[in-house]
Amino acid sequence: MLKATLLKATKAGGDVLQQYFNGSFEVTSKSSVNDLVTEADKNAETAIFSVIRENFPQHFILSEESGELVSDSNVKWIIDPLDGTVNFAHGIPICCVSIGVEQDGEMILGAVYNPFLNEFFFAEKGQGAYLNDKRIRVSTKTEMNKACMVTGFPYTWGEYTHSPIEVFEYFVKQGQPVRRLGSAAIDLCWVATGRFDGYYEHSLNAWDAAAGFLMVEEAGGKVTDFKGNRYSPYQRTLIATNGLIHEPLVDIVNGKY
């Protein structure tokens, strides 16, 4: 029942995004001028909530737009109704719905849906990761200097020992390909499917990565924080790789060139 509800809720959110894409909608800012929220975010969230509440009215919900809807349930839905809002607002089709389901403190299900590229990613703890019902695996690249990387930059800058720009500059000076797509959930899914070999980001929220990090792990990859410790969506830093280049990437993001 959880899986069926997750798939239905994710699809419902994606359907709302399709209705608004490249159309006319209200856009406002949150923490900064480019930290955007649109009518599509809010209405997709409403559609997702409706499906979840219909089946599990007592479950805990954590969502980007509404925050925490607290209950004493051991199941928590972690929702980003529109990851990649800036892309969406500019008509760039790299954006998605992302929903993770946590039970007793462990992520057990994840779904990420980009309706504009017709890509539906799904992962279940211990059961693998899938793209449109086809099993996916991380890449087999073993040489860091030949890896294709992806990252993201924060909207507001705090104090970093090794800033996002410094790490990015290192890769650029090495002539190494690094992409910036603008959607953490898609970045993680594209690591899971082997399009990227590694991903790092300095400042994420739980809803950005809850579904995607499970996708990488279930596709055979590795996900940690910047110290190389087991990843939790409730802390900010993330490194996700195919597992084969993980330790070198941990060193690089910590300035050990």
Side-chain angles (χ1 to χ4, degrees):
M1 189 66 174
L2 273 174
K3 177 180 176 180
T5 301
L6 171 63
L7 297 178
K8 184 178 179 181
T10 307
K11 181 65 165 56
D15 288 346
V16 172
L17 300 189
Q18 285 183 298
Q19 293 170 17
Y20 282 92
F21 191 67
N22 275 332
S24 177
F25 47 82
E26 181 182 353
V27 182
T28 56
S29 297
K30 295 189 287 185
S31 66
S32 69
V33 67
N34 283 313
D35 184 10
L36 306 181
V37 61
T38 72
E39 288 179 79
D41 296 71
K42 296 173 183 177
N43 289 336
E45 183 183 72
T46 298
I48 292 165
F49 282 11
S50 178
V51 173
I52 295 169
R53 289 304 193 208
E54 179 183 356
N55 295 285
F56 301 105
Q58 301 305 316
H59 280 183
F60 193 121
I61 289 178
L62 170 61
S63 184
E64 179 173 15
E65 306 312 330
S66 292
E68 289 188 331
L69 305 180
V70 179
S71 79
D72 60 1
S73 171
N74 69 331
V75 178
K76 181 189 292 186
W77 297 75
I78 306 176
I79 301 164
D80 193 339
L82 174 48
D83 188 47
T85 301
V86 173
N87 286 348
F88 183 89
H90 289 83
I92 300 168
I94 301 179
C95 39
C96 62
V97 177
S98 176
I99 306 176
V101 181
E102 184 183 85
Q103 186 170 37
D104 296 320
E106 182 178 34
M107 206 64 58
I108 61 168
L109 296 169
V112 174
Y113 178 37
N114 180 346
F116 314 110
L117 298 183
N118 190 32
E119 292 193 340
F120 199 115
F121 292 88
F122 171 77
E124 182 173 3
K125 185 71 174 179
Q127 301 298 318
Y130 298 83
L131 167 56
N132 296 340
D133 298 322
K134 182 178 179 180
R135 187 78 178 257
I136 56 175
R137 298 287 299 178
V138 294
S139 73
T140 57
K141 192 74 62 66
T142 59
E143 296 177 69
M144 185 69 214
N145 64 347
K146 295 182 179 179
C148 185
M149 310 298 299
V150 66
T151 190
F153 298 126
Y155 292 121
T156 56
W157 288 75
E159 293 296 322
Y160 299 103
T161 304
H162 303 285
S163 76
I165 290 297
E166 288 176 296
V167 178
F168 184 74
E169 181 183 35
Y170 167 80
F171 283 121
V172 170
K173 286 183 174 179
Q174 298 300 307
Q176 191 160 350
V178 184
R179 304 293 180 253
R180 202 283 194 186
L181 301 184
S183 165
I186 290 177
D187 292 338
L188 286 161
C189 287
W190 286 17
V191 171
T193 200
R195 294 171 184 168
F196 293 121
D197 305 299
Y199 164 58
Y200 66 93
E201 190 150 349
H202 288 70
S203 182
L204 292 172
N205 293 298
W207 48 79
D208 296 315
F213 97 85
L214 180 63
M215 216 74 62
V216 174
E217 290 186 339
E218 288 299 313
K222 185 174 182 177
V223 185
T224 68
D225 64 13
F226 274 15
K227 295 180 180 179
N229 298 322
R230 179 175 173 79
Y231 178 72
S232 163
Y234 304 107
Q235 53 84 58
R236 305 288 284 181
T237 65
L238 180 150
I239 297 174
T241 72
N242 61 8
L244 303 173
I245 62 163
H246 201 87
E247 298 311 316
L249 183 53
V250 170
D251 285 343
I252 289 167
V253 299
N254 285 287
K256 299 175 183 177
Y257 308 143

